[in-house]
Amino acid sequence: MIRALTTKRPEMTPFLLLTPALITMLFVVALPLVFSLWTSLTPYQLTKPQTIYSFVGLRNYTRLLTDPGFWIPFGRTVLFLTIALNLEFAFGLGIALLINKITWGQRGLRTIMMFPMMFSPILVGFQFKFIFNDNIGILNNALQSLGLTDQAIPWLVDAKLAMFSLLFAEIWMSTSVFAILLLAGLFAMPRDPLEAAKVDGCNAFQTFRHITLPFLMPFAYIAMTIRSLDVARAYDIVKVMTGGGPAGRTELLWTMIARTGYENAKMGQANAMAYISTVLSILFTWYFYRKLIAARRFMGGVQ
Amino acid sequence: MSAVVESRASKRAKSVALWIATFALMLVMCLPGLWVMLSGFRPNREILAKPPVWLPEALTLDNFGKIFGWGAEQIAIPVPAYFTNSLIIALTSTLIALAIGMAGGYAFARFRFRFKGGLFLGLMLFRAVPGVALSLPVFMLWSKLGLIDTKAGLIIVYVSLNVPFTIWLIDGFFRQIPLSLSEAAQVDGCTRWQAFWKIEFPLARSGIASAGVFAFLTSWNEFALASQLTRSTDSKTLPVGLLDFTAQFTIDWAGMCAMAVIIIVPALILTFVVQKHLIAGLTFGGVKG
Amino acid sequence: MAAITLEKVVKKYGALGVVHGIDLTIAHEEFVVLVGPSGCGKSTTLRMIAGLEDITGGLVKIGGQVVNDLPPRKRNISMVFQNYALYPHMNVRDNLGFGLKIAGQSPAEISKRVGEAAEILGLTPLLDRTPAELSGGQRQRVAMGRAIVRNPDAFLFDEPLSNLDAKLRGQMRAEIKKLHQKVRTTVVYVTHDQVEAMTLADRIVVMKDGHIEQVGTPMQVFNHPATTFVATFIGSPPMNLLPATISGGAVRLADGTAVPVPDRLTGHVRDGMAVLLGIRPDDISPVGHGLSQDGPGAEVALTVDLAEPLGMESLIYTRLAGQEVQAKLYGPRIVAPGEVLTFRLALDRAHLFDAATGKTVRAL
Ligand SMILES: Nc1ncnc2c1ncn2[C@@H]1O[C@H](COP(=O)(O)OP(=O)(O)OP(=O)(O)O)[C@@H](O)[C@H]1O
Ligand SMILES: [Mg+2]
């Protein structure tokens, strides 16, 4: 049947090939999103099934938008991502430049560099919960043994330190993504423009700033796009390390969604939050994808 | 003359210093992970000891014995069942996602059609929906459909989670293969279908394998959705099972570390096997328009 | 018998037409070369013959059979691609034998025919290498071997030599010519290199913007270009074209210079007609330094603007009737810019084109 269809209307072939992909995406993502949208317009609570039929319009959203209890974790999430992504990019770039300079044992280093990428986020969370543990964690043990502090530092209990610990875990997990893609970019970099710049009298920094960095940007955007697809993995880390605590001081958008939806059973409200976080993620991905396409066009002219 | 020698020597020293610095940096990067893995081979009492024991006196497999029920002692957490679930779910969803992704990736790489750019972007954006956010409606729908706490329920979700990225990667790999190869095969007497299996597929095979590894890792490591959609040993996966430890009265750190080893080792092996293609895939798919 | 016939063949991509109704008959065992500038639709035409491109309108026949709806594998043709399209994961032997294997030939038959093809092309010592281990010329040869091994009704070549350096290109050109003499088959060969076209073709098809401008033997196309486009496209340096009008049996150029209408064309022009006088650089030479010294000619004194000595000849840039023209000087004489020389125009080899249509005024 497929063959008959494709020979009769060849222009349909690609759509036929894409049908399974589209069906899964529609069934598992689009349909639930529609359902989620509806739920977010009701006061649905898991414990009161009837509430899913009472339409309340945008009440959940207006309530959220006027609630500091929502805005604070929201702002914290944005701040968290901004810091994490910028540092991941900076560290990743640094590591890529270092490894690019090295000739002996480069392959081995490259492989080692991918090590953190293989860790499940939940594992990363657990790992740092173990390391930052105020009682048995290696970090406190080391600090105390070295006599740098006599008190155990409450890494995961103090609000500020806990935020720092979470960031640390997040950055540890994802810096490799940037490092690897930027390194691939450095490998792909043509030599001529670098040499031309040298002949034109650029110093090392100028060469980097005007030649290397622009060339690397598409690779940075790939990394950003890939990262933006799963920034919400930070949920796993927070869930294990602090559970959003102490007293909600490390609550991020995603842990808040889970708490509202599953622990407090307020599905209507949780879905409204989920929708906001979805739109945020999509905008974020879209933004970097557009940048990627633009950078790619620009590069297309060069190559 | 001597200046040349000197500068060569100093250059050498510089490169050695650079190498040591980089290596040290990598070591520091790996240390947290290595520490956890090492702790999986230490007895719990050594981990809890005060003052801390820095150099493990003896490494032991006891923790794994307890997990798999080899020794006299056995922990209450059914890790072997979780392991089996994880394996079945990750493998099945990977195979399905690969089949779907190969068809889709081929379509994007080889055909011009209306809405192509839009469809591609749309797939990517679907993938961007945060796991927790997606888990809410999926949880409600799956409850209605009786898919909660079934392997099938999780497999379906993971397939759709993996399809967009698989398409991205595979599209990139197919695009590297000149169209004229398939055309030459067709002139040589192949149908398009034969040309695909005899020429294009073998050439993209390693790339497709790495896309498979990526999909496998995503499913193997996923937590946010699995933690809501699974309940019992019927479908719970390793990442969800890891949290079982925290629910116990005293935390069995050594057991958790051993379980971490069990989760990470398959991922490590797979990634090392395909790492070269993985990097190539990510960049080809992205950079080459 | 495998003649190839195109009848009113049209190709459109959506609304964009790229081939506009081509009629062409290629005889059995004939070597036909399609030439034309980049983007004129040569490859598209070839690919429609191969079955790699849908035919929007018209008919393509191979050996008398309409093949419009046949997939490539049912047309019994073979094709050599510009980038060779060798299968990178197979060695030379398997590349050559792939088509036979797909056709279900026995291993013995495959190895016999692969051996023969390899012998013809000198590939025997390379049979166990992969394409990555071959030089450009060797890859080219494997691609040709893959084409001949199946004994197809026709060979299609799409710029097969354009990825080779100049020297190798000349060498391979000769090999293709020899190959065609050994393996007599219908050949359709696409190139934009006019030297290839002139040396290889039994007949040349000059294309422009999806139309055929002229079909003819290399000598016909060179000596009797049907249009100004063909006149300037074939031949290097290109033919000079000078705007003129016919008056009183003479061709009067823009500045009033008059030369007689060439004898063979007198019956084809009328007074007041706007024409273009076409004359190749080889046919404008200083007196005593030209190719042909006899036959009807006209002499004019011209100032040399620039001379490019090329050894035994020089290319001269000068100005005739206010327009830059190129001329040739044969012989080892050095000319300086500013020098005034008497040039002889070999009028028996000049052409007249209708200025309005660009078509030659002589009916072919
Ligand atoms: N898939 C396509 N979609 C739209 N237009 C196309 C497509 N393929 C080719 N064209 C257009 O068709 C025209 C003819 O292309 P074709 O490849 O036949 O040219 P050509 O004569 O072989 O040129 P060249 O010497 O550069 O190979 C070109 O203007 C080209 O832009
Ligand atoms: Mg072409």
Side-chain angles (χ1 to χ4, degrees), chain C residues 38-39 41-44 47 82 158-159 190 192:
Chain C
S38 190
K42 308 178 295 285
S43 297
T44 307
R47 291 165 57 83
Q82 179 170 5
D158 192 354
E159 305 200 18
V190 164
H192 54 228

